[in-house]
């Protein structure tokens, strides 16, 4: 059978002379080497292409940086002008003309690289936002203008990061280049933006010669962010210096100048604006100091980009030399391989053919092979080893057969066990559903008789008013209060039961709308307590909107009920972290003891039974709603200093309710 399969090959080899056979076999043996060399050359070519693409990305981003700088300066001038300093108007008009020139220059670069970096749509959006801002410039309020500028700058930074990603700048594996890219594409532009925000925001405050608490806090926060980002820039560049000593010579002085200017400008801000009893600096001087600091950073950025381009070009040159060397080595290797193979071919061809035939039979599972060879060299050892291996394989085959049968039995047993587990899980889910339905039905049915009892007791109290003695009136009033508390308890139990059900299908829901509905439901207690409720911009999430309204309502009502002597202040916010939204409800109430922060989420748990009314079900309902949405809820509090309730809603909550 084997001879029939290989008969064409045998006939071909029989029709060839030994030199021809040698060339054929040599060609076959050289194929792996050729493939390896080819793949290596492909990898080198990819490295060259990537390095050139990184250079193009750096060139594109450098063209954007001038526009980035101009928009920042325009923002600062506009903020000062719109806050009352009309001396900036001429400079604003000049800067707008400069920005139009920058846009034309970027359009030229964009025409070369838009297809490569997929930036056409993003750049058109940026230009449109600038045009809209330019048209409305002198009719906007200072705050609105500042926010529109900052939004535009954020989009510019996003474009820079996009180009860095597409051009593979951020994926560079060389340590020195990696840190230079991180500085040029991320950290240094961010530090410049923080400084520019301080420049623009502070200039507006100086013009009005007042610094509100909000402005004070904002400037303090921006100062901290600026210092920390500059520190990261310094750390990254020093790491690059350690990897490449030449970089310290090229960039060390610029880094020191930039850090010094940042420190001087921030110290000026603290001493003459933030911590001063009165603002003792003119807007133009303040603007100039921060502009000098920012310009120094732009100069550093330009130097980093130049050095980065030089390093990338050096890499391209090195890879080109490496490609040429490997091509030459491949040629020499092929010649040597052919030469050595020719000398070896004649000595081994006969014995090797017999061994190959034997191994092919072993490979298809036929272990009855003839491995007797006439050669007395190492091929004899190979034949003997193969013979021993064949005997061992026969024993292993029997052992594997036995093991396979045992594994099949084990698989069957595991499948049976898994089926039992699935049945148990289904039964447990059915039981839980029935329990929830029972609790809902029981609570619902209890409301009617309790309502009737309360109504009858009120009628009795009204008819006997003035006739019964004080003790009787007290007893009837106590019975009515008990019926009311039982009604509240049953209502809360109904809410708790509904929270355990699937409720409405999850849909995209605006948390701001749900919070507004909750506040509308709490209109009476809000007005009675004079509570102030504020909230940040809240996200849209996949959720059961009615349950989220109940969740907000319970948490805010708790904050109102457990208030201190001060007017209740409640703030709601949300932050995206990883794949979840973390909501927080902050109040200035009486707080919670640390040893009670877990207990309050248990059903019927009440910490102030004698002081505050309630059923102890509200927070348990909150926990059940949050867990139904795949999240968790917890509280952080200090007695006497308010509480912060946190809960999470996963982004994928709607897909696995």
């Amino acid at each position: 059978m084997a001879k029939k399969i290989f008969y064409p090959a045998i006939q071909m080899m029989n029709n060839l002379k030994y030199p021809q056979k040698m060339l054929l076999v040599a060609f076959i043996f050289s194929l792996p080497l050729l493939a390896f060399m080819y793949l290596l050359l492909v990898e080198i070519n990819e490295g060259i292409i990537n390095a050139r693409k990184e250079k193009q990305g750096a060139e594109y981003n450098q063209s954007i940086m001038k526009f980035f700088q101009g928009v920042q300066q325009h923002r600062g001038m506009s903020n000062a002008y719109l806050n009352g300093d009309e001396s900036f108007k001429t400079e604003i008009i000049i800067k707008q003309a400069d920005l139009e020139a920058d846009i034309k220059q970027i359009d030229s670069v964009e025409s070369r690289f838009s297809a490569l970096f997929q930036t056409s749509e993003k750049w058109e959006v940026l230009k449109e936002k600038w045009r809209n801002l330019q048209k409305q410039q002198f009719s906007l309020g200072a705050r609105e203008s500042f926010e529109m500028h900052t939004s535009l700058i954020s989009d510019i930074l996003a474009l820079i990061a996009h180009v860095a990603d597409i051009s593979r700048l951020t994926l560079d594996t060389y340590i020195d280049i990696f840190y230079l890219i991180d500085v040029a594409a991320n950290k240094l532009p961010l530090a410049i933006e923080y400084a520019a925000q301080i420049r623009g925001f502070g200039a507006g405050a100086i013009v009005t010669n007042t610094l509100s608490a909000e402005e004070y806090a904002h400037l303090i926060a921006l100062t901290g962010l600026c210092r920390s980002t500059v520190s990261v820039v310094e750390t990254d560049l020093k790491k690059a210096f350690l990897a490449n000593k030449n970089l310290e010579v090229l960039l060390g002085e610029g880094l020191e100048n930039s850090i010094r200017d940042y420190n001087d400008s921030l110290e000026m801000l603290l001493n003459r604006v933030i911590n001063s009893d009165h603002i003792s600096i003119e807007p133009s001087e303040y603007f100039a100091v921060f502009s000098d600091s920012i310009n120094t950073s732009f100069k550093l950025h330009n130097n980093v980009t130049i050095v980065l381009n030089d390093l990338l070009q050096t890499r391209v040159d090195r890879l080109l030399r490496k490609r040429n060397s490997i091509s030459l080595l491949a040629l020499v290797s092929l010649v040597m391989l052919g030469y050595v193979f020719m000398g070896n071919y004649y000595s081994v061809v006969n014995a090797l053919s017999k061994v190959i035939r034997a191994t092919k039979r072993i490979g298809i599972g036929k272990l009855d092979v003839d491995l007797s060879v006439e050669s007395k060299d190492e091929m004899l050892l190979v034949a003997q080893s193969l013979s021993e291996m064949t005997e061992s394989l026969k024993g292993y085959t029997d052992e594997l057969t036995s093991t396979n049968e045992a594994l099949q039995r084990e698989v069957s047993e595991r499948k049976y066990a898994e089926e039992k587990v699935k049945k148990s899980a289904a039964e447990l889910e059915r039981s839980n559903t029935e329990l929830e339905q029972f609790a809902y039905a029981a609570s619902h049915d209890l409301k009617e008789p309790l309502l009737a009892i309360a109504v009858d007791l009120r009628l009795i109290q009204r008819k006997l008013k003035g006739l019964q003695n004080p003790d009787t009136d007290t007893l009837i009033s106590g019975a009515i209060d008990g019926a009311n508390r039982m009604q509240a308890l049953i209502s809360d139990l109904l809410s708790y039961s509904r929270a355990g059900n699937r409720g409405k299908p999850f849909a995209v829901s605006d948390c701001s709308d749900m919070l507004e509905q909750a506040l509308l439901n709490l209109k009476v207690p809000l007005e009675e307590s004079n509570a102030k409720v504020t909230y940040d911009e809240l996200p849209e999430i996949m959720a059961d909107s009615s349950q989220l309204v109940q969740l907000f309502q319970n948490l805010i009502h708790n904050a109102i009920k457990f208030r201190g002597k001060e007017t209740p202040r409640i703030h709601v916010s949300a932050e995206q972290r990883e794949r979840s939204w973390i909501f927080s409800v902050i109040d200035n109430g009486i707080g919670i003891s640390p040893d009670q922060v877990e207990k309050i989420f248990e059903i019927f748990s009440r910490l102030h039974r004698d002081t505050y009314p309630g059923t102890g079900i509200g927070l348990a309902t909150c926990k059940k709603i949050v867990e139904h949405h795949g999240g968790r809820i917890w509280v952080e509090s200090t007695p006497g200093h308010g509480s912060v309730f946190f809960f999470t809603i996963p982004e994928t909550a709607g897909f696995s309710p």
Side-chain angles (χ1 to χ4, degrees):
M1 181 65 181
K3 288 183 179 181
K4 291 182 179 180
I5 294 175
F6 294 105
Y7 181 76
I10 295 171
Q11 290 300 311
M12 180 183 67
M13 296 303 290
N14 288 338
N15 292 328
L16 296 175
K17 297 179 181 180
Y18 277 104
Q20 294 171 327
K21 293 179 181 180
M22 176 197 67
L23 289 174
L24 178 60
V25 177
F27 173 73
I28 294 173
F29 272 90
S30 64
L31 276 177
L33 177 62
L34 291 172
F36 172 75
M37 291 297 183
Y38 171 77
L39 293 175
L40 187 58
L41 289 174
V42 168
E43 182 179 353
I44 292 173
N45 284 332
E46 286 181 355
I48 294 171
I49 292 171
N50 289 337
R52 287 173 175 166
K53 189 174 182 180
E54 288 180 41
K55 281 191 64 182
Q56 293 167 337
E59 179 184 351
Y60 187 100
N61 278 347
Q62 188 63 14
S63 69
I64 293 292
M65 286 300 293
K66 190 175 180 183
F67 181 64
F68 170 64
Q69 181 181 13
V71 174
Q72 288 181 329
Q73 293 172 344
H74 189 271
R75 175 180 58 189
M77 296 173 185
S78 299
N79 200 42
Y81 172 78
L82 294 173
N83 276 290
D85 190 342
E86 296 188 357
S87 64
F88 280 96
K89 185 171 183 178
T90 302
E91 295 184 39
I92 290 172
I93 296 172
I94 295 172
K95 180 54 62 178
Q96 288 178 349
D98 292 342
L99 285 169
E100 287 300 323
D102 293 340
I103 289 173
K104 291 180 180 178
Q105 183 179 358
I106 297 172
D107 283 337
S108 176
V109 177
E110 174 72 16
S111 65
R112 293 164 52 203
F113 298 136
S114 61
L116 181 63
F117 298 138
Q118 304 168 21
T119 55
S120 179
E121 183 177 349
K122 296 179 183 294
W123 174 236
E124 290 300 324
V125 171
L126 281 177
K127 288 197 294 185
E128 182 64 24
K129 291 185 75 171
W130 163 247
R131 301 278 190 258
N132 292 335
L133 177 60
Q134 188 179 19
K135 290 177 183 177
Q136 305 175 55
Q137 174 58 49
F138 297 108
S139 61
L140 294 171
R143 186 181 185 90
E144 186 179 4
S145 173
F146 191 90
E147 290 175 352
M148 289 179 69
H149 277 89
T150 302
S151 174
L152 176 59
I153 291 170
S154 297
D155 290 345
I156 296 172
L157 291 175
L159 176 60
I160 291 173
H162 170 79
V163 172
D165 289 339
I166 294 295
S167 64
R168 300 178 62 86
L169 279 167
T170 52
L171 300 177
D172 200 290
T173 56
Y174 288 73
I175 296 298
D176 52 352
I177 295 179
F178 173 82
Y179 284 112
L180 289 180
I181 290 168
D182 190 44
V183 168
N186 298 312
K187 300 302 187 303
L188 191 52
L190 191 59
I192 292 171
E193 168 58 7
Y194 288 141
Q197 286 192 34
I198 294 173
R199 177 180 64 187
F201 196 79
I206 292 171
V207 169
T208 60
N209 203 31
T210 57
L211 194 64
S212 67
E214 181 183 358
E215 292 172 331
Y216 176 86
H218 192 54
L219 285 173
I220 288 292
L222 286 174
T223 301
L225 290 171
C226 186
R227 286 190 188 277
S228 63
T229 309
V230 170
S231 177
V232 174
V233 170
E234 180 182 13
T235 301
D236 279 2
L237 285 179
K238 287 185 176 179
K239 288 178 180 178
F241 296 165
L242 289 175
N244 188 336
K245 299 296 183 183
N246 295 329
L247 296 181
E248 187 169 5
V249 177
L250 299 171
L251 300 173
E253 183 179 356
L255 175 61
E256 292 177 0
N257 292 339
S258 181
I259 293 173
R260 184 192 64 243
D261 286 356
Y262 270 122
N263 289 335
D264 291 346
S265 58
L266 292 176
E267 285 300 319
M268 179 271 291
L269 172 67
L270 291 173
N271 296 332
R272 301 180 65 182
V273 179
I274 294 178
N275 296 329
S276 177
D277 293 335
H278 64 279
I279 297 175
S280 60
I281 188 171
E282 292 298 320
S284 57
E285 180 186 356
Y286 175 88
F287 193 89
V289 169
F290 269 95
S291 293
D292 289 342
S293 174
I294 292 169
N295 290 337
T296 303
S297 293
F298 274 108
K299 182 177 179 181
L300 174 61
H301 186 278
N302 185 61
N303 291 337
V304 169
T305 303
I306 292 172
V307 171
L308 179 61
N309 280 325
D310 291 342
L311 290 174
L312 290 171
Q313 185 59 49
T314 301
R315 188 198 299 178
V316 171
D317 295 339
R318 185 175 64 253
L319 289 173
L320 287 171
R321 289 193 299 271
K322 185 176 181 181
R323 182 179 66 183
N324 295 335
S325 299
I326 290 175
S327 299
L328 179 61
L329 178 62
L331 180 61
V332 172
S333 298
L334 287 173
V335 172
M336 292 181 63
L337 177 64
Y339 180 80
V340 172
F341 185 81
M342 286 179 64
N344 184 62
Y345 175 76
Y346 292 103
S347 66
V348 299
V349 64
N350 293 328
L352 186 59
S353 297
K354 194 167 188 178
V355 170
I356 289 174
R357 286 195 296 270
T359 54
K360 288 183 179 293
R361 290 181 61 81
I362 294 172
I364 61 176
K366 296 182 178 181
L367 303 179
D368 52 338
V369 295
D370 178 16
L371 288 170
S372 60
V373 296
E374 297 177 358
S375 175
K376 303 302 181 184
D377 56 13
E378 286 79 0
M379 290 305 303
L380 177 61
L381 298 176
V382 173
Q384 290 174 347
S385 298
L386 285 173
S387 180
E388 293 173 0
M389 184 188 70
T390 302
E391 294 299 323
S392 298
L393 285 174
K394 290 179 180 178
Y396 291 152
T397 301
D398 296 337
E399 184 178 346
L400 286 172
T401 301
S402 176
T403 302
N404 185 47
E405 292 175 353
L407 286 174
Q408 288 180 346
R409 289 195 299 271
E410 184 178 349
V411 168
S412 298
E413 292 172 358
R414 288 189 178 183
K415 286 184 177 179
Y416 176 73
E418 288 175 359
E419 289 297 326
K420 289 186 66 177
V421 169
K422 289 180 180 178
K423 290 180 180 178
S424 299
E427 182 63 25
L428 179 60
E429 183 178 359
R430 184 191 61 77
S431 177
N432 287 339
T433 301
E434 290 178 353
L435 285 173
E436 289 179 353
Q437 292 174 347
F438 173 76
Y440 176 81
S443 300
H444 185 273
D445 292 344
L446 283 172
K447 289 183 69 176
E448 294 300 327
L450 274 174
L451 181 62
I453 291 172
V455 170
D456 291 344
L457 285 171
R458 289 191 186 95
L459 290 173
I460 292 173
Q461 188 179 40
R462 190 178 299 122
K463 289 182 178 181
L464 296 179
K465 186 175 182 179
L467 300 178
Q468 75 271 26
N469 58 48
D471 290 341
T472 303
D473 189 59
T474 300
L475 289 173
I476 293 174
S477 298
I480 293 172
D481 289 342
N484 290 336
R485 286 195 301 273
M486 181 61 75
Q487 255 190 309
L489 178 61
I490 290 172
S491 295
D492 287 347
L493 279 173
L494 278 170
S495 298
Y496 184 75
S497 174
R498 292 190 190 102
N501 294 326
R502 290 185 178 270
K504 298 190 299 184
F506 285 8
V508 176
S509 304
D510 190 328
C511 291
S512 298
D513 293 341
M514 292 184 283
L515 177 59
E516 288 290 347
Q517 182 60 48
L519 295 177
L520 185 61
N521 296 343
L522 294 170
K523 181 178 180 181
V524 173
L526 284 170
E527 291 177 351
E528 290 177 349
S529 63
N530 291 322
K532 306 296 181 184
V533 180
T534 59
Y535 58 91
D536 297 335
E537 183 178 353
L538 300 180
E540 292 184 348
I541 60 173
M542 294 295 294
D544 181 336
S545 58
S546 61
Q547 291 190 354
L548 262 292
V549 169
Q550 182 69 46
L551 174 60
F552 282 126
Q553 183 173 324
N554 285 5
L555 292 176
I556 294 172
H557 188 266
N558 256 32
I560 296 171
K561 182 167 66 174
F562 295 103
R563 62 183 181 269
K565 295 180 179 180
E566 299 179 4
T567 300
R569 295 190 306 275
I570 304 159
H571 183 73
V572 182
S573 62
E575 175 187 359
Q576 190 173 24
R577 190 176 300 171
E578 295 179 353
R579 299 186 63 82
S580 296
W581 283 97
I582 300 180
F583 291 80
S584 60
V585 180
I586 307 171
D587 65 57
N588 63 338
I590 62 174
I592 303 168
S593 176
D595 59 349
Q596 300 292 332
V597 294
E598 295 293 338
K599 185 178 180 182
I600 60 171
F601 294 106
E602 298 175 1
I603 191 169
F604 303 125
S605 175
R606 295 177 60 198
L607 305 185
H608 306 279
R609 295 180 178 274
D610 299 330
T611 310
Y612 295 93
T615 61
I617 298 177
L619 288 179
T621 302
C622 292
K623 180 179 180 183
K624 205 166 187 183
I625 291 172
V626 171
E627 290 177 348
H628 175 52
H629 285 75
R632 68 185 188 93
I633 187 171
W634 71 97
V635 64
E636 296 177 3
S637 178
T638 301
H641 294 85
S643 305
V644 184
F645 283 83
F646 297 94
F647 64 90
T648 63
I649 302 294
E651 290 182 349
T652 57
F655 301 100
S656 57

